Amino acid sequence: MREDFLHYLWRHKKFQLTHLKTNDDKELEVIDTGEHNHDSGPDFFNAKIRLDGQVWAGNVEIHLKSSDWYAHHHESDPAYDNVILHVVWVHDTEVFRKDNSEIDTLIIKDYISNDSIHGFQKLFGEKQKWINCENDFAGVDDFLLRNWMERLFFERLERKSNEIIDLLKYSRNDWEAVLFKMLAKNFGLKTNGESFLNISNSFDFSVLRKERIKEMNLQALFFGQGGLLDHNIENAYYKDLKKIYAYQRNKYKLDNTWIVPLKFFRLRPSGFPTIRLSQLANLYHLNSSLFSDIIESSSFDGIYEKFSIAPSEFWQTHYTFKKSSRKSKKNLTKSFIDLLIVNTIIPLKFSYARHQGKIIDDELLKWISRLASEQNSIVDKFNNLRKVSKNGLHSQALIQLKTNYCERNKCLHCAIGNSILTN
């Protein structure tokens, strides 16, 4: 048995509500279970109960065993002086307040249905499962699942929005700077995302505004801060970059000693950091008002057109500084731009609208629903249980579900888990 399951039972009144009696045979009526407290102190505030006809208002504490009251030292904590009811699974000792008055106890297992116990065992009884509900996931009601996934999508947006607001504070309320940092991180993807974000944080955005006039200058800035210009390579392009960066480093007092080293290992050549940094440099060389263009965009067409950029000419015949390759333009692919839309553009639009006191949820639902489902191990495993991910909304929701609920065993806070417990 788990204590959070007892919290669930109490919060949702998933127990027999009539003919309740305390451990010492007092008649009990639960009028209000109270407000669930997720911080320190009693588990439920401002509950209201009737004991032998007298109404009491106060707090409720829940434990697996009565003796946990003493194991947690509540008897000496003033925060628990106003506890009016102790709800337990097993009553193994009497519990007293600091003034030696006994706290009435409800042994909740005496009032739980077999169906509730069975539902709990289905979720938490078996070990070594990918998710607790994998045996029941295929049978979850379609309407419930659709609504839960929409909510999960916005939960994920809220989390990303909090990160954006932190970036906004760090960037002195410069939304263009926030966009650059987000794009940099997502251009680096999982392998180099932290390094790219480090690079974007290593100079003030005003430096980029000054240097963007010349594409070569932006490349020198990005490559130099990424530690890619620290070698002696015999080609004119590399030497020009080093010369430009040496001037920039002195002028802007740049430091790159703390930046996480860039990785090439196990990346496809098209995803090498050299190619991605050059594409990012070209994007900002060609667009002086990228943030406002994105915010004002009402369709994907303009986004795809603006982001369908290639690296500079040198990189059309190279993947690294040393070795040439067959010529190719190396434009950003549609699938990569879709990832930028999911991880940068939609969260940015959401955050900016909220910051302006506007709600554009319906617009964003249309955007995310038009994108193809992401392909990753989480989405694939859910689809193996049930073909559920058909668009970008679904895949984002499933990532949120797995990382924030399944992996943390928060089934009691999940609509799917709740449906299994009540069926």
Side-chain angles (χ1 to χ4, degrees):
M1 185 50 60
R2 294 161 47 121
E3 193 170 291
D4 59 349
F5 180 57
L6 303 190
H7 286 212
Y8 164 83
L9 294 171
W10 178 261
R11 184 172 73 252
H12 297 288
K13 294 185 176 180
K14 299 292 185 180
F15 55 94
Q16 176 186 321
L17 295 174
T18 58
H19 308 297
L20 293 174
K21 289 196 174 183
T22 63
N23 64 302
D24 55 356
D25 216 32
K26 291 180 183 177
E27 291 185 0
L28 170 67
E29 178 189 352
V30 178
I31 302 170
D32 188 339
T33 58
E35 176 186 351
H36 198 186
N37 173 35
H38 299 282
D39 298 318
S40 60
D43 295 317
F44 288 84
F45 291 147
N46 304 318
K48 187 180 290 186
I49 62 175
R50 183 177 281 109
L51 277 172
D52 275 349
Q54 182 176 351
V55 175
W56 294 81
N59 304 327
V60 171
E61 180 67 5
I62 296 178
H63 287 126
L64 290 177
K65 298 183 298 180
S66 300
S67 56
D68 289 339
W69 179 274
Y70 296 107
H72 299 162
H73 306 293
H74 295 333
E75 76 280 3
S76 59
D77 189 341
Y80 293 83
D81 288 348
N82 196 31
V83 169
I84 58 173
L85 185 67
H86 196 200
V87 178
V88 302
W89 189 255
V90 175
H91 183 54
D92 58 351
T93 189
E94 308 303 328
V95 170
F96 297 87
R97 300 180 183 88
K98 281 170 54 178
D99 63 2
N100 289 323
S101 59
E102 185 177 348
I103 300 176
D104 291 289
T105 300
L106 171 66
I107 306 170
I108 200 169
K109 74 173 180 179
D110 295 341
Y111 302 98
I112 305 301
S113 70
N114 290 331
D115 288 342
S116 292
I117 299 298
H118 179 63
F120 173 81
Q121 291 172 340
K122 283 171 67 178
L123 281 176
F124 301 108
E126 296 181 40
K127 303 298 181 183
Q128 305 301 320
K129 292 192 294 186
W130 182 65
I131 57 173
N132 290 336
C133 66
E134 66 181 50
N135 295 332
D136 301 278
F137 186 76
V140 175
D141 178 73
D142 286 341
F143 180 78
L144 180 147
L145 189 57
R146 284 197 305 272
N147 281 276
W148 180 228
M149 287 203 292
E150 184 175 311
R151 179 177 166 185
L152 288 168
F153 166 67
F154 280 109
E155 275 189 15
R156 189 164 174 80
L157 267 188
E158 290 280 2
R159 180 185 62 77
K160 291 180 179 180
S161 179
N162 291 335
E163 295 173 359
I164 291 170
I165 296 305
D166 288 341
L167 283 176
L168 186 63
K169 294 175 183 176
Y170 179 81
S171 305
R172 300 190 298 277
N173 292 317
D174 187 339
W175 283 98
E176 284 281 5
V178 171
L179 171 61
F180 171 60
K181 296 175 193 301
M182 292 179 63
L183 282 174
K185 180 181 179 181
N186 289 313
F187 261 70
L189 296 177
K190 186 175 182 179
T191 302
N192 284 306
E194 184 180 358
S195 301
F196 276 38
L197 182 60
N198 286 166
I199 292 171
S200 71
N201 283 326
S202 67
F203 52 83
D204 193 87
F205 190 69
S206 62
V207 174
L208 185 148
R209 286 191 171 102
K210 294 173 184 175
E211 298 295 319
R212 62 164 292 276
I213 297 172
K214 293 184 178 180
E215 183 185 8
M216 191 81 164
N217 286 13
L218 277 188
Q219 291 187 58
L221 178 64
F222 294 174
F223 290 143
Q225 287 301 95
L228 296 175
L229 301 180
D230 298 337
H231 310 285
N232 292 315
I233 297 176
E234 293 299 321
N235 71 58
Y237 172 69
Y238 190 82
K239 290 180 177 179
D240 287 343
L241 287 173
K242 287 192 71 171
K243 183 177 179 180
I244 294 169
Y245 177 64
Y247 175 78
Q248 292 172 332
R249 186 164 191 164
N250 181 63
K251 179 179 180 180
Y252 301 117
K253 310 301 181 187
L254 300 175
D255 176 26
N256 68 352
T257 57
W258 54 275
I259 292 174
V260 176
L262 294 165
K263 300 180 182 68
F264 289 78
F265 186 58
R266 289 182 177 173
L267 287 175
R268 293 179 179 178
S270 60
F272 279 0
T274 45
I275 303 302
R276 293 302 186 208
L277 286 174
S278 182
Q279 291 167 332
L280 184 62
N282 198 19
L283 176 67
Y284 273 91
H285 168 63
L286 296 174
N287 296 279
S288 60
S289 56
L290 194 58
F291 173 76
S292 58
D293 292 343
I294 287 173
I295 292 299
E296 293 169 7
S297 177
S298 58
S299 70
F300 283 158
D301 295 339
I303 299 295
Y304 287 133
E305 182 179 352
K306 190 165 291 292
F307 279 84
S308 185
I309 46 96
S312 63
E313 185 177 351
F314 176 86
W315 295 108
Q316 294 179 24
T317 56
H318 291 77
Y319 289 102
T320 66
F321 285 109
K322 293 182 178 180
K323 188 177 180 181
S324 62
S325 61
R326 184 168 57 88
K327 185 173 183 178
S328 61
K329 287 188 175 181
K330 302 182 179 70
N331 288 60
L332 289 179
T333 63
K334 181 180 179 298
S335 60
F336 188 85
I337 298 172
D338 284 348
L339 285 176
L340 295 179
I341 292 173
V342 169
N343 294 311
T344 301
I345 293 174
I346 289 178
L348 192 77
K349 279 178 166 284
F350 177 80
S351 300
Y352 185 71
R354 291 291 175 92
H355 193 262
Q356 299 294 311
K358 301 176 182 177
I359 297 177
I360 57 169
D361 293 1
D362 289 342
E363 176 187 338
L364 297 182
L365 281 175
K366 291 178 182 177
W367 275 53
I368 193 68
S369 298
R370 283 184 55 192
L371 294 174
S373 172
E374 297 166 65
Q375 294 182 339
N376 55 52
S377 60
I378 290 176
V379 174
D380 289 345
K381 286 183 178 179
F382 272 114
N383 279 337
N384 286 337
L385 298 176
R386 170 182 181 168
K387 186 63 178 175
V388 65
S389 188
K390 300 175 183 178
N391 56 45
L393 186 153
H394 297 153
S395 54
Q396 282 288 289
L398 292 174
I399 293 169
Q400 178 74 3
L401 176 61
K402 182 64 167 69
T403 56
N404 277 48
Y405 290 85
C406 304
E407 290 181 0
R408 301 182 184 185
N409 281 320
K410 292 174 64 176
C411 307
L412 303 175
H413 302 274
C414 170
I416 297 170
N418 271 257
S419 72
I420 293 170
L421 285 169
T422 55
N423 284 340

